[in-house]
């Protein structure tokens, strides 16, 4: 009986050796070879929407790579099953979120036992004193708005991109992705009739907004190149879809939102250079035409909220690199009328803000630590939320995550916050902005057991090549501290100004409990130390991201926290570029490198302006099509283009066949070239999910297959597979 027929995955003892072609690219007087260009499907738009349409030769190659991976990892097949059981054991089979109040209803999501997908529910609003949490099986009066499991039945993939109830609570609209391509369909439940309708829009980005009439929906649509370039309006009958605005600049992405006061529907356009443009539609008169609130000015970023007759704006204007908050008359919000409300403070980045009837709340980040500040709008009085007692055993953690959870109510004194640390599970609090008191609403359960006191969290600082101090967060078992001879996983990202929070993830415990140290290098390219930290890791400064990561690894080795060659480097998406670069630059430093949906074919992708990533990404990486300096710079680090004969460490790359963000052929080409140039014993492996996209499998349990695969590989190469 074959393994395929016995229910076991197919295996192949022979590493695939795809034919190397003779493709040559000529850009700005520079020639580059692209021997595996044939792995790029000719019609990627069709493949995204229907992965079964991919060319047979490419499919056979990807399946052969999957089969070879199964052969190499055959000795940890049992470990993969053990890991899946552990991972699932840390997830409550039945679970409900903290209800979000809006008018006469509480809205929440809950899971049933054994279910892959949640139920989106509501029930008549109750006082907080009467009920702390929704029960695992709901309550009398509960209405199930959407059963994700029923909706996913018969589908190879199912994920909700957005779900919004109408202001009058009659309708429940949602956008659903059925193949991982992130092309969403628009659906509508009429709670009065119990019927669900397809509104005839099939290319939504996944964001949608209700007008105040509870009959009009506004949404963003993707074009043929998977760019969110159009905003439409439709009514609940779905009979007409009216184009409100179309963006001509391919570097601009559109999105829609609504101010907390429900005064405006905002159409925001932006690129990666922090250039924004804002248009607004009166939420009470959705049949009107959007008017221009703020015209684009290069590198000027503006976000808007409304309060009474005022516009409240978060902006980097006037040299406010770490942002400031200004106010202006709502009827005349032009820059000439701005007055500072919260002044710019260098090194303290205002990450986000929220406006309530009486309060302005901002989330700040300084030296890789978050904090929340509450300001009374009438008086200007401020206070900072103190999470010092929210950590393990009622004490502060040396590194932690703190986030705002948006709500639906404007006239409230309740602010919802979520705290966690690498050892402390998520704790959801309702914070009273008037009294400063906090009430714990929910603590993340780990059914298989978790004692934070058995773990240690550290925050270290490492001086990089140019004197910059890089924060490093470490998690390890108290009885297995960092030392030479003990393997260490080093994670990095470093792009788009995204800070890596020091948050809790139960998945990491399977590695840490077996003796591996888990570390995060908060490298430049993120905003962990302010906006300048981001600017120092993009465009001409991109190499700082890679050098920071290597500096952290070298310092950990020098300090005796790990031995050279015992580090597993890990990054995902744009963090996969980091992984590809450091594998080329310092291969002997790593036991293995793991790139999950890694952006590694940087130069070729940035030269293909038909791809969804390309024009909007030029402001992040550079434009090699039109800028010879960017061509030279990018070719200096692009992972695929810099593979050369040398002893590479063990490599695992993952891909999603329907991924619109990092197309599957990037990791496929990278692996092929690595294997052709490998001079050492390290295995080079590729796993492609043949029915998912960038985020992997959609079900909460289905995704564990991929997590267990990656962790089993890490544990095997680290010599911990028997633990």
């Amino acid at each position: 009986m074959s393994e395929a027929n016995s229910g076991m995955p197919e295996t192949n003892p022979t590493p695939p050796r795809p034919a190397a072609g003779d493709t040559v690219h000529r850009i700005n007087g520079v020639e580059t070879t692209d021997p595996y260009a044939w792995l790029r499907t000719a019609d990627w738009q069709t493949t995204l929407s229907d992965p079964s349409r991919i060319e047979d030769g490419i499919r056979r190659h990807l399946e052969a790579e999957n089969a070879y991976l199964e052969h190499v990892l055959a000795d940890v097949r049992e470990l993969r099953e053990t890991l899946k059981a552990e991972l699932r054991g840390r997830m409550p089979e039945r679970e409900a979120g903290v209800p979000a109040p809006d008018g006469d209803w509480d809205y929440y999501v809950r899971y049933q036992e054994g279910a892959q997908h949640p139920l989106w529910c509501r029930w008549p609003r109750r006082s907080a004193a009467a009920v702390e949490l929704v029960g695992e099986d709901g309550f009398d009066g509960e209405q199930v708005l959407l059963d994700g499991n029923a909706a996913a039945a018969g589908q190879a993939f199912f994920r909700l991109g957005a779900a919004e109830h109408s202001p009058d609570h009659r309708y429940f609209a949602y956008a659903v992705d059925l193949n991982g391509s992130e092309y969403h369909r628009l659906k509508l439940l009429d709670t009065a009739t119990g019927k669900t309708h397809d509104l005839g829009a099939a290319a939504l980005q996944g964001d949608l907004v209700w007008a105040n009439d509870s009959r009009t929906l506004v949404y963003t649509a993707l074009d043929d190149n998977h760019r969110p370039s159009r905003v439409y309006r439709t009514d609940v009958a779905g009979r007409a879809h009216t184009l409100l605005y179309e963006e001509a600049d391919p570097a601009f992405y559109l999105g829609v939102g609504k101010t907390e006061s429900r005064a405006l529907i905002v159409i925001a356009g932006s690129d990666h250079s922090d250039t924004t443009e804002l248009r607004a539609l009166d939420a009470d008169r959705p049949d009107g035409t959007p008017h221009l609130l703020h015209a684009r000015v290069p590198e000027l970023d503006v976000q808007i909220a409304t309060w009474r007759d005022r516009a409240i704006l978060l902006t980097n204007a006037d040299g406010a690199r770490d942002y400031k908050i200004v106010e202006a008359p709502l009827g005349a919000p032009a820059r000439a009328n701005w007055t500072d409300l919260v002044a710019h403070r260098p090194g303290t980045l205002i990450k986000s803000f929220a406006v309530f009837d009486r309060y302005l709340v901002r989330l700040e980040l300084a030296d890789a630590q978050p904090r929340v500040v509450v300001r009374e709008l009438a008086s200007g009085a401020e206070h900072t939320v103190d999470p010092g007692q929210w950590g393990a055993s009622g004490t502060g953690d040396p590194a932690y995550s703190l986030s705002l959870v948006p709500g639906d109510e404007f006239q409230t004194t309740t602010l919802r916050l979520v705290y966690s640390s690498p050892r402390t599970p998520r704790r959801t609090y309702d914070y009273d902005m008037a009294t400063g008191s906090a009430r714990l609403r929910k603590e993340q359960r780990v059914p298989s057991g978790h004692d934070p006191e058995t773990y240690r969290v550290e925050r270290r600082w490492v001086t990089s090549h140019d004197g910059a101090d890089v924060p490093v967060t470490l998690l390890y078992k108290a009885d297995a501290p960092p030392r030479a001879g003990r393997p260490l996983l080093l994670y990095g990202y470093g792009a788009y100004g995204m800070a890596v929070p020091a948050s809790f993830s139960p998945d990491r415990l399977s590695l840490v409990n077996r003796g591996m140290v888990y570390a995060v290098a908060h490298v430049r390219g993120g905003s962990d130390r302010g906006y300048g930290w981001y600017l120092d890791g993009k465009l001409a400064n991109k190499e700082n991201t890679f050098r920071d990561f290597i500096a952290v690894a070298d310092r950990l080795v020098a300090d005796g926290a790990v031995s050279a060659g015992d580090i597993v480097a890990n990054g995902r998406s744009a963090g996969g570029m980091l992984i590809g670069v450091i594998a080329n630059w310092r291969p002997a430093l790593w036991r293995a490198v793991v790139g999950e949906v890694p952006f590694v074919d940087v130069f070729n992708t940035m030269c293909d302006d038909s791809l969804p990533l390309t024009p909007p990404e030029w402001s992040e990486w550079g434009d090699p099509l039109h800028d010879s300096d960017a061509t030279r710079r990018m070719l200096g680090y692009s992972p695929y283009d810099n593979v050369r004969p040398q002893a590479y460490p063990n490599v695992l790359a993952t891909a999603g066949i329907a991924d619109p963000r990092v197309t599957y052929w990037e990791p496929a080409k990278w692996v092929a070239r690595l294997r052709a140039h490998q001079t050492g014993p390290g295995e080079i492996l590729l796993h492609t999910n043949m029915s998912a996209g960038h985020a992997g499998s959609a079900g909460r349990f289905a995704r564990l297959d991929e997590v267990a695969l990656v962790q089993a590989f890490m544990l095997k190469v680290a010599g911990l597979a028997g633990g």
Side-chain angles (χ1 to χ4, degrees):
M1 180 183 294
S2 72
E3 290 189 344
N5 292 332
S6 67
M8 301 296 286
E10 292 188 15
T11 65
N12 176 12
T14 305
R17 298 282 182 179
D22 56 4
T23 301
V24 174
H25 303 296
R26 294 174 177 85
I27 304 292
N28 285 327
V30 177
E31 285 192 357
T32 62
T33 60
D34 187 4
Y36 303 103
W38 65 270
L39 286 169
R40 180 195 189 280
T41 182
D43 185 1
W44 61 264
Q45 291 97 332
T46 299
T47 300
L48 277 182
S49 58
D50 183 3
S52 68
R53 302 279 294 277
I54 195 170
E55 293 95 318
D56 287 343
I58 298 173
R59 176 177 294 279
R60 285 194 299 270
H61 173 72
L62 298 177
E63 290 173 343
E65 287 282 10
N66 284 351
Y68 179 64
L69 174 141
E70 292 297 340
H71 169 75
V72 172
L73 299 184
D75 57 338
V76 291
R77 189 171 290 160
E78 183 176 337
L79 174 62
R80 286 163 66 179
E81 295 302 316
T82 299
L83 289 168
K84 280 195 292 184
E86 287 180 10
L87 295 164
R88 183 161 179 167
R90 298 190 190 103
M91 301 170 61
E93 289 281 338
R94 296 186 299 169
E95 185 177 30
V98 181
D102 185 19
D104 294 333
W105 294 92
D106 279 325
Y107 289 84
Y108 56 95
V109 172
R110 68 179 178 89
Y111 283 94
Q112 296 173 305
E113 186 166 358
Q116 290 275 14
H117 303 282
L119 307 178
W120 283 263
C121 309
R122 71 181 183 186
W123 60 319
R125 187 168 183 173
R126 290 155 168 80
S127 70
V131 178
E132 281 294 303
L133 293 174
V134 175
E136 293 172 340
D137 295 311
F139 287 93
D140 291 340
E142 176 184 77
Q143 293 184 18
V144 176
L145 302 171
L146 175 63
D147 182 340
N149 302 288
Q155 304 289 345
F157 186 94
F158 175 88
R159 178 176 284 128
L160 221 64
E164 297 288 342
H165 61 271
S166 60
D168 67 359
H169 305 283
R170 175 173 174 175
Y171 297 103
F172 180 74
Y174 59 97
V176 62
D177 176 8
L178 296 178
N179 58 23
S181 67
E182 300 178 38
Y183 283 109
H184 296 82
R185 296 197 67 86
L186 180 58
K187 306 270 191 173
L188 180 79
L189 167 69
D190 183 343
T191 64
T193 65
K195 293 183 178 179
T196 298
H197 308 277
D198 189 311
L199 294 187
L204 273 70
Q205 176 177 229
D207 53 342
L208 52 92
V209 173
W210 282 99
N212 292 339
D213 64 0
S214 294
R215 297 297 180 271
T216 305
L217 278 165
V218 178
Y219 62 88
T220 310
L222 301 167
D223 61 21
D224 291 340
N225 286 330
H226 210 278
R227 295 177 190 138
S229 61
R230 304 183 186 103
V231 173
Y232 286 89
R233 172 180 60 214
T234 189
D235 58 23
V236 293
R239 287 186 292 268
H241 296 266
T242 303
L243 180 66
L244 291 177
Y245 178 69
E246 182 169 9
E247 177 57 56
D249 186 343
F252 253 57
Y253 277 12
L254 298 180
V256 294
K258 195 175 185 180
T259 59
E260 292 98 337
S261 67
R262 304 188 180 185
L264 300 178
I265 294 172
V266 179
I267 300 171
S270 63
D271 64 10
H272 286 308
S273 68
D274 302 308
T275 302
T276 58
E277 185 165 89
L278 303 178
R279 285 173 171 77
L281 186 69
D282 188 331
D284 288 327
R285 298 174 179 83
D287 57 345
T289 301
H291 62 279
L292 184 66
L293 277 178
H294 166 72
R296 68 192 71 181
V297 175
E299 299 183 5
L300 177 59
D301 188 16
V302 179
Q303 302 169 42
I304 188 169
T306 55
W307 181 68
R308 300 180 185 176
D309 62 348
R310 312 295 289 174
I312 310 293
L313 305 117
L314 176 66
T315 181
N316 63 352
D318 308 315
R321 188 167 68 169
D322 288 310
Y323 287 74
K324 64 178 180 177
I325 298 176
V326 302
E327 63 175 342
L330 185 56
R335 187 173 178 182
N337 299 323
W338 291 358
T339 301
D340 282 6
L341 195 62
V342 178
H344 174 239
R345 289 157 299 154
T348 299
L349 174 64
I350 304 177
K351 291 284 290 181
S352 62
F353 74 128
V355 174
F356 298 87
D357 182 47
R358 291 171 53 193
Y359 299 98
L360 165 67
V361 180
R362 63 184 188 268
L363 176 64
E364 300 179 340
L365 188 63
D367 285 337
Q369 293 285 55
R371 70 182 177 205
V372 170
V373 181
V374 177
R375 179 188 183 95
E376 188 176 38
L377 282 163
S379 69
E382 293 189 350
H383 69 270
T384 301
V385 177
D386 180 11
Q389 306 303 310
W390 295 359
S393 301
T395 61
D397 293 301
Y400 59 86
S401 168
L402 187 62
S403 58
L404 304 175
V405 180
D408 294 308
E409 295 194 309
F410 182 65
Q411 294 180 321
T412 181
T413 64
T414 300
L415 173 66
R416 185 156 292 170
L417 301 171
V418 178
Y419 174 96
S420 76
S421 83
R423 67 172 182 164
T424 305
R426 289 192 310 275
R427 294 177 172 176
T428 302
Y429 289 87
D430 277 352
Y431 180 82
D432 190 314
M433 293 179 282
T435 67
S437 62
R439 185 163 57 91
L440 179 64
R441 296 297 306 275
K442 182 175 182 179
E443 183 168 1
Q444 180 181 4
R445 291 191 296 120
V446 182
S448 59
H450 173 69
D451 179 5
E453 294 303 317
T454 64
Y455 300 88
R456 296 290 180 268
V457 175
E458 284 188 41
R459 170 60 54 80
R460 298 189 183 186
W461 295 86
V462 170
T463 302
S464 193
H465 66 102
D466 58 355
D469 291 327
V470 182
V472 186
T473 303
L474 295 96
L475 170 70
Y476 52 87
K477 288 279 285 183
D479 59 359
R483 63 166 175 77
R486 176 166 287 135
L488 179 144
L489 186 153
L490 185 60
Y491 176 85
Y493 187 73
Y496 307 119
M498 294 177 62
V500 180
S503 56
F504 181 76
S505 170
D507 292 353
R508 298 173 189 155
L509 301 180
S510 288
L511 301 173
V512 174
N513 289 348
R514 287 173 169 81
M516 185 176 285
V517 176
Y518 188 94
V520 177
H522 301 273
V523 296
R524 280 175 284 186
S527 59
D528 306 72
R529 297 202 64 196
Y531 204 75
W533 202 245
Y534 168 42
L535 298 178
D536 284 346
K538 68 179 294 189
L539 293 173
N541 299 320
K542 188 62 218 169
E543 285 196 4
N544 285 333
T545 302
F546 319 133
R547 295 187 184 280
D548 285 354
F549 193 85
I550 289 173
V552 168
D554 282 339
R555 177 61 180 271
L556 291 171
V557 171
D559 287 348
V562 68
S563 300
D566 278 346
I567 304 173
V568 177
N570 180 212
R572 181 179 179 86
S573 193
M577 177 204 298
L578 163 63
I579 296 307
V581 171
I582 58 96
N584 285 332
W585 286 8
R586 292 287 298 280
L589 191 53
W590 324 107
R591 176 73 61 89
V593 298
V594 178
E596 299 177 69
V597 288
F599 180 33
V600 283
D601 193 14
V602 179
F603 182 73
N604 289 319
T605 294
M606 289 298 100
C607 288
D608 186 347
D609 58 6
S610 74
L611 294 173
L613 270 177
T614 300
E617 301 286 314
W618 284 336
S619 58
E620 180 76 18
W621 319 110
D623 176 6
L625 278 178
H626 308 100
D627 181 350
S628 58
D629 287 339
T631 301
R632 172 189 51 77
R633 199 168 57 236
M634 200 172 291
L635 280 174
Y637 65 76
S638 177
Y640 174 69
D641 295 284
N642 284 278
V643 172
R644 61 185 183 275
Q646 62 180 334
Y648 281 95
N650 297 286
V651 176
L652 171 62
T654 68
I657 193 70
D659 189 344
R661 298 173 185 267
V662 178
T663 49
Y664 76 85
W665 60 81
E666 292 212 20
K669 290 168 58 177
W670 182 51
V671 162
R673 204 166 200 173
L674 282 170
R675 192 177 288 132
H677 289 82
Q678 173 68 293
T679 65
E683 287 286 0
I684 313 290
L685 303 176
L686 171 68
H687 179 265
T688 304
N689 188 320
M690 302 300 286
S691 61
H694 195 65
S697 298
R700 61 170 177 157
F701 300 133
R703 74 170 188 88
L704 300 181
D705 287 320
E706 296 170 39
V707 177
L709 166 65
V710 171
Q711 291 193 353
F713 171 82
M714 291 175 171
L715 291 169
K716 175 178 176 172
V717 298
L720 299 174

